[in-house]
Amino acid sequence: MLVALPALDDNYIWLYGRENCPVIVIDIAETEKLFAYLAERELQVEAVLLTHYHDDHTAGVASFKRAYPQVPVFGPPETREKGAEHIVAAGNIRLPHYDIQVIESGGHTANHVSYLTEDHLFCGDTLFSAGCGRVFTGDYAQMFQSLQRLKSLPPETLICPAHEYTLSNLGFAESLSDPAIVRQEVLQQRFTEVRALRAENLPSLPTSLGLEMQINPFLRAKDIKEFTRLRQAKDNF
Ligand SMILES: [Zn+2]
């Protein structure tokens, strides 16, 4: 199962699990809906994975740990104070039911990481559908490198970002006329599909890397100069 639980204004708490296995939970913005969801379906949690330290990804960790003290919480160094007790960097996490690859994806924050398991990429605020995260405590070169790393994954990889920003990102991508930066006909199809999903209050996610390679200007930027120009233009869009 793959579930995007809406949280706060536009965050998602992701749950992933194979049938009859405990689930993993990625980022915990808040716990009310999460606890209700887990209880209703009698789900066990094998681990919590944090992508970065921002409150809208970690504010629920303390209350989660009180309710589920036996569940390990993994995260990069910047999440230690938010409750991660297993500090990760590039490499692998081996859990009883899941093998998870940790991919460094700094830029939005300096230590941001993404998690890859069974062709599902949980990329926090690094990569969004048709967009990417703002550069805060990392820098542009780091963000560009991170996107190059994520881009090298197989096209069928399912991308599970932490925010529902797709419509606004598509609006920005639509405003770019350079065909090298956006395939407009593919983008228009995606726009139609996402408008219909959002009209029913359904998530526009996950997306696939193959689709993003056609509509995401930040993945299609050819060098760091172009990437920085696009990211700054989006900041002011
Ligand atoms: Zn963030």
Side-chain angles (χ1 to χ4, degrees):
M1 64 167 246
L2 176 70
V3 174
L5 270 189
L8 305 178
D9 291 338
D10 50 29
N11 281 75
Y12 289 122
I13 299 169
W14 286 96
L15 283 78
Y16 175 73
R18 283 201 307 275
E19 215 177 330
N20 301 320
C21 289
V23 299
I24 52 175
V25 177
I26 301 88
D27 286 343
I28 305 185
E30 57 178 337
T31 47
E32 203 178 320
K33 279 182 222 155
L34 176 63
F35 288 167
Y37 192 89
L38 294 172
E40 214 171 281
R41 288 160 185 79
E42 296 180 12
L43 293 170
Q44 305 293 314
V45 181
E46 184 149 305
V48 171
L49 310 175
L50 304 176
T51 59
H52 67 297
Y53 75 94
H54 284 160
D55 278 344
D56 60 323
H57 301 254
T58 56
V61 174
S63 114
F64 181 87
K65 286 172 73 163
R66 281 193 296 277
Y68 294 81
Q70 75 289 3
V71 175
V73 179
F74 295 83
E78 65 183 29
T79 59
R80 199 188 299 269
E81 283 178 19
K82 306 287 182 168
E85 71 267 7
H86 299 275
I87 300 305
V88 300
N92 283 69
I93 303 173
R94 286 181 211 289
L95 298 171
H97 297 91
Y98 304 98
D99 197 355
I100 297 158
Q101 189 188 340
V102 182
I103 303 173
E104 286 183 346
S105 48
H108 175 69
T109 63
N111 290 169
H112 192 299
V113 295
S114 299
Y115 298 97
L116 179 70
T117 190
E118 296 164 0
D119 283 334
H120 292 70
L121 179 74
F122 300 95
C123 49
D125 289 357
T126 297
L127 178 61
F128 297 123
S129 183
C132 76
R134 259 177 206 254
V135 173
F136 284 121
T137 50
D139 60 47
Y140 289 95
Q142 204 187 359
M143 187 58 133
F144 181 70
Q145 282 313 319
S146 296
L147 293 179
Q148 304 316 297
R149 225 170 274 136
L150 300 185
K151 233 170 112 161
S152 69
L153 296 171
E156 64 273 18
T157 305
L158 285 177
I159 309 293
C160 309
H163 285 276
E164 182 58 66
Y165 288 162
T166 312
L167 279 179
S168 106
N169 287 339
L170 287 169
F172 174 71
E174 190 182 35
S175 75
L176 305 167
S177 51
D178 183 353
I181 285 297
V182 180
R183 296 266 318 273
Q184 287 292 344
E185 69 286 2
V186 184
L187 178 134
Q188 289 307 328
Q189 274 172 32
R190 172 80 171 139
F191 228 145
T192 306
E193 173 196 304
V194 173
R195 280 197 190 101
L197 288 167
R198 297 305 298 145
E200 298 192 43
N201 217 16
L202 294 171
S204 65
L205 305 168
T207 176
S208 72
L209 185 60
L211 172 60
E212 293 305 315
M213 288 302 295
Q214 302 188 67
I215 63 167
N216 193 315
F218 302 98
L219 287 179
R220 289 171 68 92
K222 65 181 182 305
D223 54 28
I224 179 160
K225 202 171 141 215
E226 186 169 61
F227 169 76
T228 305
R229 182 179 60 74
L230 285 166
R231 187 53 262 180
Q232 288 172 345
K234 175 67 168 70
D235 287 351
N236 300 309
F237 183 66

